[in-house]
Amino acid sequence: MELPKLTPIVQFVTASFALLVGGFTVGDKFGLLSNPVLEWAPEHFKIAPTVIGQPIAVTVARIKKRDDCSVEGFEPTVRDAAGLIHPSVPSMTKFTGPAGPDVDTFTYQLRVSDKDPITPGRATLLATIKYKCPEGERTITYPRHKNLTFELIAPPPG
């Protein structure tokens, strides 16, 4: 085989490879090839009204889609009625259970930091969960849903 005839073949193979990798990257970036870790079931979420300073009982629900990702971080926060974000400490930071088609509900307690004054009234629970998956780190947040809002009640005087 002559060298000049080999050059177009190498160029074609290289261009095809670049197109394949670029297409995969674009598909992944826009979620076309997504393989979700979980699906939220926010209609099953529950947060009861809570007196400021007391632990908040939080029930969340999900459908776990994959078993090959592990929870590496869980960071819940509470946005109070004034819009101030307060860091919070959950009673559990690792959530386990097999993947499957069923809704899995679990409850944990949350202690809101009182470093800054907490404004009573309508509050919202926010959370970020970091998963370590074979394809890399995935970050998931709690969904926007009315069941993630609740009342923070001022403690009784004295």
Side-chain angles (χ1 to χ4, degrees):
M1 199 183 243
E2 295 179 21
L3 189 57
K5 292 183 181 175
L6 186 60
T7 303
I9 294 170
V10 171
Q11 289 173 336
F12 176 75
V13 169
T14 304
S16 297
F17 180 73
L19 184 63
L20 178 67
V21 170
F24 178 78
T25 303
V26 168
D28 187 45
K29 192 75 155 172
F30 291 106
L32 302 174
L33 304 173
S34 71
N35 185 9
V37 175
L38 58 82
E39 177 183 322
W40 293 117
E43 63 277 8
H44 297 284
F45 282 40
K46 290 180 194 152
I47 307 172
T50 304
V51 174
I52 294 172
Q54 296 298 310
I56 302 167
V58 178
T59 299
V60 296
R62 66 173 184 195
I63 299 170
K64 189 173 177 186
K65 301 280 190 175
R66 298 173 58 177
D67 277 327
D68 61 342
C69 299
S70 61
V71 175
E72 296 297 311
F74 175 55
E75 189 175 318
T77 56
V78 171
R79 182 174 54 224
D80 70 14
L84 188 62
I85 304 291
H86 299 275
S88 303
V89 178
S91 59
M92 59 186 278
T93 57
K94 300 282 183 179
F95 307 103
T96 60
D102 299 326
V103 173
D104 181 24
T105 59
F106 50 92
T107 301
Y108 63 91
Q109 289 194 342
L110 193 62
R111 288 220 172 253
V112 180
S113 169
D114 57 0
K115 178 181 167 193
D116 295 312
I118 300 170
T119 304
R122 192 168 196 79
T124 303
L125 176 61
L126 310 165
T128 301
I129 306 168
K130 292 187 189 261
Y131 284 90
K132 182 179 177 184
C133 298
E135 69 273 14
E137 185 177 277
R138 304 285 293 270
T139 301
I140 298 172
T141 59
Y142 276 0
R144 287 181 184 234
H145 193 273
K146 65 179 182 173
N147 288 354
L148 285 167
T149 59
F150 62 102
E151 287 296 315
L152 282 174
I153 304 164

